[in-house]
Each structure stands twice: as C-alpha cells, then as structure tokens.
Amino acid sequence: MKRFAVLVLVVLLGACSSPPEETASLEELEAAAGPVAGPTPVLPNDIAKLQVEQSAAVGPVVADRDHYTLYFHEKDGTNPPSSTCLEPECTLTWAPLLAAGGEFDAPALDRSLLGTFKRPDGTEQVTVGGRPVYRYVDDEEAGDANGHGVDGRFAISPSGQKALR
C-alpha cells in the first residue's frame, strides 16, 4: 500500500512540475488557419450595406455587403421587430445582420423598408420590411440560398417578403 501511495505522489508531483502549455497568439492562429471563406463579419457600429441580388434558386433577394443572401424567420416579431434567435446555438448558424441605427448604404432598396431594433445584448439588428434579417452559415458562396425554407426561415425579397421565383 505504501508503494502505491508513493507512486501516486510521484505521478502527481511530476504532473505539477510540467511546464505550462504554450498558447498561440491570435495572429499565429489566423496564419495557421489561412484565409477563411464566407461573409465578412459585420460589427455593431458598421453601416449596413445592402444590395439586391438575383438568386438562381429563388429570384431577387436582399444580400449583404459580400453578396450573401439575407433571411428572415417567420417566428420573429415584426411590429415591433424582435428576434427569436438569441442563444449561441442559433446565432452561430443564423448570424444577425448588425448595424448602427439608421445607417444604411442600400441604393437599390426602398429606404422606408429599412430599420434596426435593439437586441437584448444592446446590439442593433437590421430589419427589412420590419423583419429582422440574418446570414446563414451554410451559404458557402455569395449568391447561395441554402437557408431558404430551413426551419421556417426564408430568403427575403427587396419588398421585405418571402423571396419567390
């Protein structure tokens, strides 16, 4: 029994004396990962840049600055706007399009359809036709509309409604 206790003590002391693991800097991690495909993250103070794109799958849609299709969720509130996508499990798949209130660069859209609302975390989410809009993580390239019809979410048309062919 004494030998076992001594062995356990030696193992524990050895573990405690190991040098700490080195951590990589953010720059090192980014360099190792290489360029990342997908939309550019939009920060809360960015001006929302929206445009109209032609989707082969669903026709005219509203897209973000990188030409990625925007979507709405039919369970979100519109009067007043509110989002049901608040938890990380949702926002990592359906990223809310954020912008500083009222600041838009969207010459092809009716300005009266554009707005923002405050999310519970204090950020402002863009709305089109009163509907909060999101980007979909599985849209791998600009112009994809892979999220259309997924779990009650649809590509949004320039009129603020469901995009249809």
Side-chain angles (χ1 to χ4, degrees), residues 15-146:
C16 291
S17 65
S18 300
E21 291 183 23
E22 291 185 30
T23 57
S25 70
L26 180 59
E27 292 81 16
E28 292 169 328
L29 291 172
E30 288 174 345
V36 177
T40 304
V42 176
L43 302 175
N45 294 326
D46 278 356
I47 293 172
K49 294 180 181 178
L50 305 174
Q51 51 209 346
V52 176
E53 298 286 333
Q54 187 66 32
S55 164
V58 295
V61 296
V62 178
D64 69 5
R65 69 179 71 215
D66 294 324
H67 309 277
Y68 281 79
T69 301
L70 296 175
Y71 300 87
F72 71 92
H73 189 256
E74 60 188 2
K75 291 184 181 177
D76 283 350
T78 57
N79 192 18
S82 63
S83 175
T84 57
C85 187
L86 303 174
E87 301 301 320
E89 297 80 27
C90 182
T91 60
L92 290 173
T93 302
W94 299 95
L97 184 65
L98 304 176
E103 295 296 321
F104 295 97
D105 177 14
L109 293 167
D110 180 347
R111 181 104 175 125
S112 69
L113 294 176
L114 305 176
T116 63
F117 72 98
K118 273 209 188 300
R119 293 175 58 84
D121 65 2
T123 58
E124 291 185 69
Q125 185 171 354
V126 173
T127 62
V128 177
R131 298 174 186 271
V133 292
Y134 309 84
R135 290 175 291 190
Y136 184 47
V137 71
D138 286 340
D139 280 352
E140 295 176 0
E141 296 180 12
D144 284 351
N146 297 322

